[in-house]
Amino acid sequence: MIALAAFAGCCAWHLAARRRRGTHQIPHLARKWRAEVRVAAHAARACGRAIIRAGHNHTSWATAPSWKGAAKIDPCTATDEENEALVRRAIASAFPHHAIIGEESSAAMGEIPALGLEDTWIVDPIDGTQNFVHGMPLSVVSLGLCVNRIPTVGVVYNPHSDELFVGVRGEGAWCNGERITCKAGAKRLDEALVIIDPAYERSPLGVRQLAAQYLGLLGANTRAIRAIGTSVYAIALVACGRASGFVIGVNDGDSPKPWDWCAAAVIAREAGAVLRMVDNRRTPPGDSRAPAGEGDSFDLFSRSGVCAATPELADALQQIALEAIAVPVDELDHF
Amino acid sequence: MIALAAFAGCCAWHLAARRRRGTHQIPHLARKWRAEVRVAAHAARACGRAIIRAGHNHTSWATAPSWKGAAKIDPCTATDEENEALVRRAIASAFPHHAIIGEESSAAMGEIPALGLEDTWIVDPIDGTQNFVHGMPLSVVSLGLCVNRIPTVGVVYNPHSDELFVGVRGEGAWCNGERITCKAGAKRLDEALVIIDPAYERSPLGVRQLAAQYLGLLGANTRAIRAIGTSVYAIALVACGRASGFVIGVNDGDSPKPWDWCAAAVIAREAGAVLRMVDNRRTPPGDSRAPAGEGDSFDLFSRSGVCAATPELADALQQIALEAIAVPVDELDHF
């Protein structure tokens, strides 16, 4: 009897520990979108396990990845491709009529397919591939569903911290089953932890624009500046109040793509964050519009973006980004 | 009997899981320094639990911290102070004759005490306090022991990932009980993941120096640039091969202190990383010298530093930092 009680206690402890780690924590949703969230969460976790496994085995990042872009520093690994195939199989099996736009297949095609009116998943099987290649534990899986071209379901999974972020348009945002809201505290830059991302912009003009943005943030006494190498997780951190703001896209090589926004945009908007374009630059194809959160329009094909806890902070980050974009070419040699 | 077997199995699973998570993984050491490593690891984990607990309770970072420095953006929380007190008690109890230099007590005194010849622990109870204040899961505990002014034992604990880094001079470096070495791969910046840290430098000259460094790295086609807000963990990441290099200290506000180097320096050196000063600037008191790793001297009181996987990469990072430090004052308005 004692052993039985101890066994029961041990099982309860084990279940409680799994719950603490969030392994089973999908938010309780009404019928609508429940199946989509479950399928996406399941696929995202499977991708996450592959990321961890490849890291442990030193397989994916020990072998030379292939490279995207002119600077030859943007990698694509076997795990990226395998994860996208896994996601495609999971979605095709559960929702055979849904379309899919993926980072790796788009890179292979050399262009991003246009976003149609049919239900379309926009997925990044590893956001933060460069971190993954180096073995740095900062990469996430991002799966978003557009309905009528509007981001409607977002699932982001960080396998390193076992955090599952879920957002459903009009329903809310969650991390491991608990509601999240962005902390409305930081209105000024000297209160803010701001995440930037130089990504793969390395053109002579682009690097000066990036440096001008960095200088602008430092000169405005921004409390903390971080660069973590995954824009999706950066937006998720703003959504759950652990970062104040995120800004990206002063030129081409650091411009985000629809898979950087889709899932994260739903989560951020539902958590109360401000999401806006820095300016009107867009990736050529498609004409999707993510829903306006606070009066302004936001486009999934935007090549720049600000996500912030408050409109005041979004203003400040947008202003500094606009000034950086406008760095005069004839002053470039004077740094 | 079945219940008993199940109970035993469950316990074995639980123990195996703890082992996987590294909870008990202290490296096997000869008699020398074994006690010091155990006491430091135990204290570091206790501090780590306090960091996680405060994060969960939103206590420490929900209340306004006190501020250090002129820019009023460098925080000190109750958890910093409680953790330093915890470390002091643990060390005083186990090694009553050892001296202690701590970040928080030094800040309270307004100066860093000189490092004498007696065995001295140099400790940072939370490295990455700004992250901690915002709830961003990137902060570590750092406990280093100097013997004859030479960093000899280093213990760094990341409570968010449950990683315990240990370095013992002449013995080796470990993460969760497994030997670590820095990956000798990256010799060039276009192969490298480089971590920078603007810390709290916000003077008109300093922010331009920081921007010049950022521009220099981008212009040299550095593969990835990160800023994670904890220099100790950055050095640990270089030591275990997950980052290629780390560079810090172009002015005063971003200059590291002895507690940023002490534990991390032992770990990095023993893992085969190159550690050197960018130039000869030093914090006034003390005249300790960390052991020369590869022919050059390194000083715990250095106000700048480079830690890199290879001498070639260290050269490149040092060169860009030196050029940034030398930004001419009369060109400051031309950016």
Side-chain angles (χ1 to χ4, degrees):
Chain A
M1 184 56 86
I2 292 166
L4 202 64
F7 173 58
C10 192
C11 285
W13 182 91
H14 171 197
L15 285 172
R18 288 187 75 168
R19 204 164 298 132
R20 274 198 300 278
R21 292 202 308 274
T23 310
H24 290 290
Q25 301 254 10
I26 297 177
H28 293 288
L29 290 167
R31 196 176 186 116
K32 209 175 173 189
W33 311 125
R34 194 164 53 182
E36 285 79 0
V37 167
R38 284 191 179 274
V39 168
H42 191 78
R45 283 188 184 127
C47 291
R49 284 194 294 273
I51 290 172
I52 298 292
R53 208 162 45 231
H56 281 170
N57 297 341
H58 292 215
T59 49
S60 180
W61 50 280
T63 57
S66 57
W67 302 102
K68 300 182 279 196
K72 301 265 180 217
I73 53 175
D74 182 5
C76 177
T77 69
T79 309
D80 288 84
E81 288 165 357
E82 287 158 14
N83 272 4
E84 184 165 325
L86 185 157
V87 170
R88 283 180 178 274
R89 283 196 303 275
I91 292 172
S93 162
F95 313 109
H97 301 299
H98 287 192
I100 303 172
I101 296 175
E103 175 176 19
E104 305 316 329
S105 50
S106 298
M109 286 162 58
E111 63 172 16
I112 304 171
L115 176 62
L117 283 170
E118 69 274 28
D119 292 358
T120 302
W121 291 87
I122 303 186
V123 307
D124 190 347
I126 307 179
D127 186 62
T129 300
Q130 191 70 257
N131 290 338
F132 171 65
V133 164
H134 285 268
M136 193 153 163
L138 270 168
S139 33
V140 301
V141 182
S142 175
L143 312 177
L145 173 63
C146 279
V147 178
N148 291 324
R149 290 191 181 137
I150 293 175
T152 303
V153 172
V155 170
V156 170
Y157 181 59
N158 180 338
H160 305 286
S161 57
D162 196 20
E163 289 170 308
L164 181 76
F165 295 89
V166 173
V168 177
R169 184 170 142 78
E171 300 285 329
W174 298 264
C175 177
N176 287 347
E178 288 185 19
R179 285 248 177 206
I180 53 172
T181 53
C182 66
K183 241 186 333 200
K187 293 184 177 181
R188 300 193 322 257
L189 286 167
D190 65 358
E191 302 166 329
L193 185 150
V194 173
I195 305 176
I196 57 174
D197 196 340
Y200 300 112
E201 177 55 45
R202 300 291 184 272
S203 71
L205 174 61
V207 299
R208 278 163 174 83
Q209 291 170 319
L210 286 168
Q213 182 182 40
Y214 190 60
L215 180 64
L217 290 168
L218 288 166
N221 199 22
T222 300
R223 188 183 290 179
I225 301 175
R226 303 284 178 261
I228 59 173
T230 148
S231 53
V232 172
Y233 192 53
I235 297 171
L237 287 172
V238 175
C240 67
R242 292 190 236 148
S244 318
F246 170 66
V247 57
I248 192 166
V250 296
N251 203 305
D252 279 356
D254 65 327
S255 70
K257 304 291 187 304
W259 42 82
D260 291 314
W261 293 125
C262 187
V266 186
I267 295 165
R269 281 260 161 86
E270 290 297 325
V274 177
L275 188 66
R276 62 172 75 150
M277 299 163 71
V278 172
D279 57 16
N280 291 322
R281 285 168 299 136
R282 299 171 69 258
T283 304
D287 56 348
S288 75
R289 296 270 161 193
E294 14 80 58
D296 57 8
S297 64
F298 182 85
D299 189 323
L300 269 196
F301 287 77
S302 173
R303 280 159 64 183
S304 65
V306 171
C307 178
T310 60
E312 294 87 346
L313 191 61
D315 289 344
L317 292 174
Q318 187 176 11
Q319 189 57 37
I320 288 173
L322 285 170
E323 285 164 14
I325 291 168
V327 164
V329 178
D330 60 345
E331 283 190 16
L332 293 188
D333 294 332
H334 286 291
F335 191 67
Chain B
M1 183 56 87
I2 293 168
L4 202 63
F7 173 59
C10 192
C11 286
W13 182 92
H14 170 199
L15 284 172
R18 286 187 75 170
R19 205 163 298 133
R20 274 197 302 278
R21 292 202 307 275
T23 310
H24 289 293
Q25 301 253 8
I26 296 176
H28 294 289
L29 291 167
R31 193 175 188 117
K32 211 175 173 190
W33 311 125
R34 193 163 55 182
E36 285 79 359
V37 167
R38 285 192 178 273
V39 167
H42 190 79
R45 283 187 184 127
C47 290
R49 285 193 294 275
I51 290 172
I52 298 291
R53 208 162 44 233
H56 281 170
N57 297 341
H58 293 215
T59 48
S60 179
W61 49 281
T63 56
S66 56
W67 303 101
K68 298 182 279 195
K72 302 266 178 219
I73 52 176
D74 182 3
C76 176
T77 70
T79 309
D80 288 84
E81 287 165 358
E82 287 158 14
N83 272 3
E84 185 165 323
L86 186 158
V87 170
R88 283 181 177 275
R89 281 196 304 274
I91 292 172
S93 163
F95 312 109
H97 301 300
H98 288 191
I100 303 171
I101 296 175
E103 176 176 18
E104 306 315 329
S105 51
S106 297
M109 285 162 57
E111 64 174 13
I112 305 171
L115 176 61
L117 282 170
E118 69 275 28
D119 292 358
T120 303
W121 291 87
I122 303 186
V123 307
D124 190 347
I126 306 180
D127 186 62
T129 300
Q130 191 70 258
N131 290 338
F132 171 66
V133 164
H134 285 267
M136 193 154 166
L138 271 168
S139 33
V140 300
V141 182
S142 176
L143 312 178
L145 174 63
C146 281
V147 177
N148 290 326
R149 288 191 184 137
I150 294 175
T152 303
V153 172
V155 170
V156 170
Y157 182 60
N158 180 337
H160 306 286
S161 57
D162 195 21
E163 289 170 308
L164 181 77
F165 295 88
V166 173
V168 177
R169 183 170 143 80
E171 301 284 330
W174 298 263
C175 176
N176 287 348
E178 289 185 17
R179 284 246 178 208
I180 53 173
T181 54
C182 66
K183 242 187 331 202
K187 293 185 178 181
R188 300 194 320 258
L189 286 166
D190 65 357
E191 303 166 327
L193 186 150
V194 173
I195 305 176
I196 57 174
D197 196 339
Y200 300 112
E201 178 54 47
R202 301 292 184 271
S203 72
L205 173 60
V207 299
R208 279 162 173 85
Q209 290 170 319
L210 287 167
Q213 182 182 39
Y214 190 61
L215 181 64
L217 290 168
L218 289 166
N221 199 23
T222 299
R223 187 183 288 179
I225 301 175
R226 303 285 177 263
I228 59 173
T230 146
S231 53
V232 172
Y233 191 54
I235 297 170
L237 287 172
V238 175
C240 66
R242 292 191 236 148
S244 318
F246 170 67
V247 57
I248 193 165
V250 296
N251 203 305
D252 278 356
D254 65 328
S255 70
K257 303 292 187 306
W259 41 84
D260 291 313
W261 293 125
C262 187
V266 185
I267 295 166
R269 283 258 160 88
E270 290 297 323
V274 177
L275 188 66
R276 63 173 74 149
M277 298 163 72
V278 172
D279 57 17
N280 290 321
R281 284 169 301 135
R282 298 169 71 257
T283 302
D287 56 346
S288 74
R289 296 274 160 188
E294 14 80 58
D296 57 10
S297 64
F298 182 86
D299 189 321
L300 268 194
F301 286 78
S302 173
R303 280 159 62 181
S304 65
V306 172
C307 178
T310 59
E312 294 87 345
L313 191 62
D315 288 346
L317 293 174
Q318 187 176 11
Q319 188 56 36
I320 288 172
L322 284 170
E323 284 164 15
I325 290 168
V327 164
V329 178
D330 59 346
E331 283 190 15
L332 292 186
D333 294 332
H334 286 289
F335 190 66

